[in-house]
Amino acid sequence: MEKTAKEKEVIAIALRVLDQLKFQYGNTKEHLEFMDAMYSEKRKMYDGKEWSHYSVDFSHDVFGIPTSYYCIVDAETMRVKGILTDHGVFEIIYNDKGEAKDKKFISPSFPYDKQ
């Protein structure tokens, strides 16, 4: 199925942030074609707030096992806010130029405001 212009834009934003962070992901033609951007309207997120977002799925082999991850892109600002894993979220930290410079792990086991 052909991706819409908006889906392509969101995927490009996610890939740019992954590259800035040097976050490993499958970047073969097949991996990139498999990536998808799904829109979710006003859902309660890991920070306890409700916001609309796009979820961009991608995979990376960890010790030879394909593992799924999701870039969470804020639909209003079109900025990647986090990378969802099976054990928590890596919140993205940006520098003054708007480039992703680091990530902070957010555990689902503790309140967001205490981390």
Side-chain angles (χ1 to χ4, degrees), residues 4-96:
T4 66
K6 189 61 154 186
E7 290 171 330
K8 289 178 184 177
E9 176 189 3
V10 171
I11 291 169
I13 290 167
L15 289 174
R16 184 173 53 247
V17 168
L18 291 173
D19 288 342
Q20 288 171 347
L21 293 172
K22 295 177 178 42
F23 200 95
Q24 294 181 339
Y25 62 93
N27 59 0
T28 65
K29 182 179 179 187
E30 292 80 22
H31 282 110
L32 297 175
E33 287 176 356
F34 182 76
M35 290 179 85
D36 199 14
M38 297 178 55
Y39 179 75
S40 295
E41 180 80 31
K42 294 280 183 190
R43 295 183 71 191
K44 189 170 185 176
M45 299 302 289
Y46 61 89
D47 59 2
K49 299 175 185 170
E50 283 191 10
W51 39 279
S52 299
H53 70 280
Y54 289 91
S55 178
V56 178
D57 58 338
F58 65 99
S59 65
H60 167 59
D61 286 351
V62 177
F63 302 115
I65 301 169
T67 305
S68 295
Y69 298 92
Y70 304 89
C71 280
I72 307 300
V73 181
D74 186 313
E76 186 177 319
T77 64
M78 293 303 287
R79 192 173 217 194
V80 177
K81 289 184 81 168
I83 299 171
L84 179 66
T85 70
D86 59 351
H87 55 275
V89 175
F90 288 104
E91 191 171 59
I92 308 302
I93 300 168
Y94 290 90
N95 65 17
D96 295 338

